[in-house]
Amino acid sequence: MSTTTIRRSRLHRREHLAAAAFIAVPVLGFLIFIAYPLLFAVYASFTKWNGLGEPVLNGLDNYVEMWNDPYFWQAMGNTVFMMIGIPIGLVISLLLALALNRKMRGTTFFRTVYYVPVISSLAAVAILWQWAYNGDFGLVNQVLAFFGIDGPNWLQNADTAKPAIVIMAVWKGLGFSMLLYLAALQSVPRHLYEAAAIDGAGAFSQFRHITIPMLRPVTFFLVVTSIIGGAQIFIEINIMTPTGGPEFSTASIVWYIWQKAFNYLQMGYATAMSVVLGLLVFVITAIQFQVNRRSQFSIE
Amino acid sequence: MKSRILAVTAVSAVALATITGCSSGAAGSDGDTITFMFRGNDAEKAAYTAAIEQFEKDHDVDVKIIMTTADEYSTKLKAAITGKQIPDVFYIDPGSVQAYVKSGIVKDITDKVEESVDLDNIWEYGVDSYRFDGKLMGQGAIYAMPKDIGPFSFGYNKTMFDAAGIPLPDPEVPYTWAEFVDVAKKLTLDTNSDGTLDQWGTGLNVQWNLQPFVWSNGGDWLNEDRTKVTVDTPEFAEALQFFADMSNVEKVTPSTSDAQTLDTYQRWMQGQIGFFPVGPWDVPTYEKLDFEWDLIPYPVGATGETATWTGTLGIAVAETTKNADIATELAIYLSTDPTAQQSLVDAGVQVPNLKDMADEWVASATLPPANKQEFLDIANEYGRALPANTTYSAEWYDELFKNIQPVLDGEQSAEDYLAEVQPRMQQLLDKANADAGIG
């Protein structure tokens, strides 16, 4: 009896050791590449640091400065504004998915066409759209001119620059959400529709009471990831409006953070803004999960 | 059991490698290798590669080249510095010198430069742009050698003048503002009589072209000791108003919504613009234009003196380099070696750094512009540093341009705008000076 216990414990110990070693790899990776930078960023946010020399602690100065910095609020406002593309994108991609879910010729072709922007490099796409938005020979204004509309110089006008970027971002993201919706649509059990049809439900009512609720997990996923992504919008801003747009109208919060960190030698202040942004995204995501959980209870 | 031990060992080895992988593998130097980080286009890369090969032969060292695009350079360099992987030799712009010196990143190379370089034969402006005495730029120790200088000159379309029957501008006597507008008006035409303009006097970008007008009118961005923002003076306001009026009142530029650099640049290249700025870096492109063009001084404001700025980029040596001597030599070599300079000049990317070579270049060159001397006059006599190049950070300077559009659109007067923006700029300058430990 006693020998088996010892044996088992030795075996256990060896296995534990092996397990620990295997676990160590991702844990170390996490500590080095996620935990350490995260903690360091929080530390740096309480320092005065130009990104070159040594950080010097300065307490809450960066946070106070942020509170009083009109450009911080403007960049935040711009970022939030540009998120209006998210619901628009969701609706359009759902409609596209519904259209492409039908059995007809050419759906594969269209599915591919809508997915091309997703796999294209964002930088290349941004440069392309920059040309399209050119006030003189841009494609967008040429199309508008065909209908007798005199288009604005999109990216150089404080009123149109933000919408211009939203339109591009929606276009770029459509394929991805459409694909997920397509997959979800195809996994909706047919018998639900059949049962509803027998009960006399029309097409719209089926869509409203079966399709939409069945798509809820995908919608939830898309909303959460789009908001996180939207909060971090940067590349398209930096390429299409490298100075933050006319009258700072397209400067997103991440663009402003980058500008402060790398161009204006205020790494400490920039990390403070990153910390605030990170917290905001975390809180918003947590709320979304909370809301989602409640609404699922109500379905069941 | 054996295999289990093996697995454990393997996994721990991987884990260990993950940890040490971060700290080892330092860039920088070992023995006789030095790293050189720079940015530029293909022509520059080719010219530098050739020059560096020669240096490697002459000094029996290995130079590892790290090249980035212009956009990425600053971010990558700063990341390398934060990660303590500082290249031995690297490009630096004058606007960063104070921060890099204060943070102990770049080396004081004064002794070696004074010992081995004939400073009389290099543009003073080039070297002075990298002098810093702890308080003011332009004097004191040398922290980099000029990679180049970029006198930002003014060009005009000769062919267009001939077609309109306007006498060519005198390269020695600049236009007054009134004369300039007058000529520009004569050049603003509907050449094919279709009812819309297709040729304009000029089309300038405010960020790169406001300076000549302000300076020539007696205005400036900063006071002498760089503690006060002086954009709210009548001279400055008058110049900015003149700049905006060219579009809104005189209508000698493409309409405001079209007048951004990209468009006027392309229009100039298509021969639709009379006057347009020319930097040495533009020359290889402009050589291929199918109209004749030449250089003249910028039109003059109230002072009667023409003015413009001269850009520059420097080559600095890292404080941390283990091969300080050879690294400093490389910086000096790239900046002043006649053969290296020749290969860069031949690549058409810059004006020679050496005065004697530049004189020869002016006399012998056959390609446009005919008046290459203008570049040298700017370099030698009246080219100034861009305002932000003498301060710790450019944030205060960029503030001027952030909300300037209403002025350019004629919706706000220059005077009102400048009065409004000056306090904001002052606040940012104070912050930059405080960060630099000045004032």
Side-chain angles (χ1 to χ4, degrees), chain B residues 12-30:
Chain B
S12 350
V14 171
L16 217 72
T18 323
I19 309 169
T20 51
C22 296
S23 55
S24 77
S29 45
D30 53 20

Side-chain angles (χ1 to χ4, degrees), chain B residues 135-150:
Chain B
K135 291 245 174 262
L136 285 180
M137 295 287 296
Q139 52 199 45
I142 300 171
Y143 286 96
M145 285 301 282
K147 170 247 165 192
D148 68 357
I149 52 160

Side-chain angles (χ1 to χ4, degrees), chain B residues 84-152:
Chain B
K84 309 268 185 259
Q85 314 253 314
I86 314 174
D88 297 297
V89 181
F90 56 91
Y91 276 7
I92 186 170
D93 66 286
S96 315
V97 168
Q98 296 189 34
Y100 280 70
V101 170
K102 294 269 177 194
S103 306
I105 308 292
V106 291
K107 203 173 186 58
D108 174 354
I109 53 171
T110 320
D111 291 344
K112 184 108 185 179
V113 170
E114 282 175 350
E115 169 194 310
S116 61
V117 179
D118 173 15
L119 284 176
D120 288 337
N121 195 26
I122 310 194
W123 307 111
E124 214 180 352
Y125 174 85
V127 181
D128 285 356
S129 295
Y130 304 98
R131 286 183 188 272
F132 181 49
D133 67 1
K135 291 245 174 262
L136 285 180
M137 295 287 296
Q139 52 199 45
I142 300 171
Y143 286 96
M145 285 301 282
K147 170 247 165 192
D148 68 357
I149 52 160
F152 197 62

Side-chain angles (χ1 to χ4, degrees), chain B residues 160-184:
Chain B
M160 190 185 284
F161 270 67
D162 290 338
I166 303 169
L168 297 182
D170 187 333
E172 299 299 320
V173 188
Y175 285 129
T176 62
W177 283 1
E179 287 165 351
F180 176 67
V181 166
D182 197 45
V183 174

Side-chain angles (χ1 to χ4, degrees), chain A residues 18 21-22 25 28 48 50-53 65 71 134 136-137 153 156 247-248 258 260 262 264-266, chain B residues 8 11 15 74-75 78 81-82 84 99 103 257-258 260 263 266-267 392 395 398-399 402-403 406 431 435:
Chain A
F22 275 102
V25 178
L28 278 173
K48 188 179 185 63
N50 65 6
L52 301 168
E65 186 182 338
Y71 290 124
N134 184 297
D136 279 328
F137 8 77
N153 197 345
Q156 305 304 320
E247 295 163 57
F248 213 63
W258 169 82
K260 282 279 189 183
F262 290 101
Y264 296 149
L265 302 161
Q266 295 163 33
Chain B
V8 173
V11 170
S74 157
T75 311
K78 281 181 182 142
I81 290 169
T82 315
K84 309 268 185 259
S103 306
S257 61
D258 304 337
Q260 12 147 351
D263 296 353
Q266 281 165 358
R267 287 209 163 95
Y392 181 80
E395 196 175 14
D398 291 348
E399 183 69 28
K402 222 175 241 173
N403 292 294
K431 195 168 85 178
D435 286 350

Side-chain angles (χ1 to χ4, degrees), chain A residues 1 63 70-71 73 87 109 117 150 161 176 180 182 194 198 222 230-232 247 250 252 256 261 277 285:
Chain A
M1 184 72 198
Y63 291 92
Y71 290 124
W73 294 106
F109 171 73
D150 191 15
F176 179 69
L180 288 186
L182 257 178
E194 285 156 14
I198 292 168
L222 284 173
Q232 296 168 346
E247 295 163 57
T250 58
S252 70
Y256 189 53
L277 178 66
T285 311

